[in-house]
Amino acid sequence: MNAILVFLYIFVIRIRSDIPIDSAMWVLGFLGIKLVFDREFFRKLMGFIHNKYMINCITIYMLTLLWMIISILINGSKDYSFVVTYIHVFIQFVTGVVLYLYLKHIDDDKNIVNYLIIAFMIQTAIEWGGFLNPTFRAIIQSTKSEYSLARAEQYQGVRALSLSGNEFFGVTVGYSFILLLFFSKRNTLFRDNLFLKYSSYIFLITGT
């Protein structure tokens, strides 16, 4: 379950490309419900939010957003699309913080690296499904904007198989990071089975 939450947060999925609600928001909604019923989790979140560093980060972010809006008004522009994107990024940032605190709360963050690796293994399986099954690929592409699909054509459609919100650079960087983490001491997946361990590593490489 926790690996699914990490997957939905990292690989931003939309039911339809024209609906602004994505999987990171689903995760935030799920964690919001957890906060209502888990008082200890709520207490830890409040303690983290009242940290001076966190307050400074949020303040700087809000001031930057305010400056963007003022700049748009001064220049007489009516294009607020960038502001919407900035707000969406902020929501993803908040979701990431809450998700990290939740994972740390339930198992003292011992398995976070495992969850990250599993999330990318799910992504790799989705890519293979898109390669092998045209119907599955069509379903994946229905979550993409027309701009993303047009960009994917420049790469022979390969990255269109990805469910990531940033189909090109972000996925590659993410896989590079995971492949490095794979051999860290915090990765306990298949620790006692070298065949499965190296097989899963090769499987991850195919997703890059």
Side-chain angles (χ1 to χ4, degrees):
M1 177 61 183
N2 296 328
I4 296 297
L5 291 175
V6 173
F7 169 76
L8 292 174
Y9 171 69
I10 295 176
F11 297 97
V12 182
I13 305 169
R14 292 182 177 180
I15 298 297
R16 285 176 46 184
S17 60
D18 56 341
I19 298 177
I21 299 175
D22 58 39
S23 56
M25 296 180 185
W26 305 346
V27 173
L28 185 60
F30 172 81
L31 295 175
I33 295 173
K34 285 286 186 180
L35 282 168
V36 173
F37 295 100
D38 190 334
R39 301 303 299 174
E40 181 64 18
F41 178 33
F42 180 80
R43 185 187 63 80
K44 289 181 179 180
L45 178 62
M46 290 299 102
F48 185 82
I49 290 176
H50 288 92
N51 179 282
K52 183 180 290 186
Y53 175 77
M54 189 65 180
I55 293 174
N56 289 340
C57 287
I58 294 175
T59 301
I60 292 172
Y61 202 96
M62 290 302 181
L63 288 174
T64 305
L65 178 60
L66 179 62
W67 171 248
M68 288 170 52
I69 295 173
I70 292 174
S71 299
I72 291 172
L73 293 174
I74 291 175
N75 288 282
S77 174
K78 295 183 180 180
D79 182 10
Y80 294 92
S81 58
F82 193 77
V83 175
V84 174
T85 301
Y86 210 67
I87 293 174
H88 185 261
V89 171
F90 180 72
I91 293 174
Q92 288 188 301
F93 168 72
V94 171
T95 304
V97 170
V98 179
L99 178 58
Y100 169 75
L101 291 175
Y102 173 70
L103 296 176
K104 188 175 182 180
H105 167 63
I106 59 175
D107 61 8
D108 198 26
D109 75 10
K110 293 178 181 178
N111 295 309
I112 288 182
V113 169
N114 292 349
Y115 298 148
L116 287 169
I117 292 172
I118 293 172
F120 275 82
M121 290 178 71
I122 294 172
Q123 169 63 32
T124 303
I126 289 172
E127 291 184 16
W128 274 105
F131 276 123
L132 299 174
N133 190 318
T135 302
F136 188 63
R137 175 173 179 171
I139 293 173
I140 295 173
Q141 290 185 333
S142 69
T143 68
K144 303 295 180 186
S145 66
E146 292 183 4
Y147 172 77
S148 295
L149 293 176
R151 288 277 294 163
E153 289 300 320
Q154 300 177 24
Y155 298 87
Q156 290 76 48
V158 173
R159 285 301 179 193
L161 300 176
S162 169
L163 285 180
S164 171
N166 190 338
E167 296 84 358
F168 312 105
F169 178 75
V171 173
T172 303
V173 171
Y175 269 104
S176 301
F177 178 66
I178 291 301
L179 291 174
L180 290 174
L181 278 180
F182 193 90
F183 291 104
S184 71
K185 293 181 179 179
R186 303 199 67 179
N187 174 20
T188 58
L189 293 173
F190 312 122
R191 176 178 287 177
D192 300 322
N193 191 320
L194 289 179
F195 174 76
L196 288 178
K197 187 178 183 71
Y198 287 104
S199 295
S200 59
Y201 184 76
I202 293 171
F203 181 65
L204 279 171
I205 291 176
T206 66
T208 62

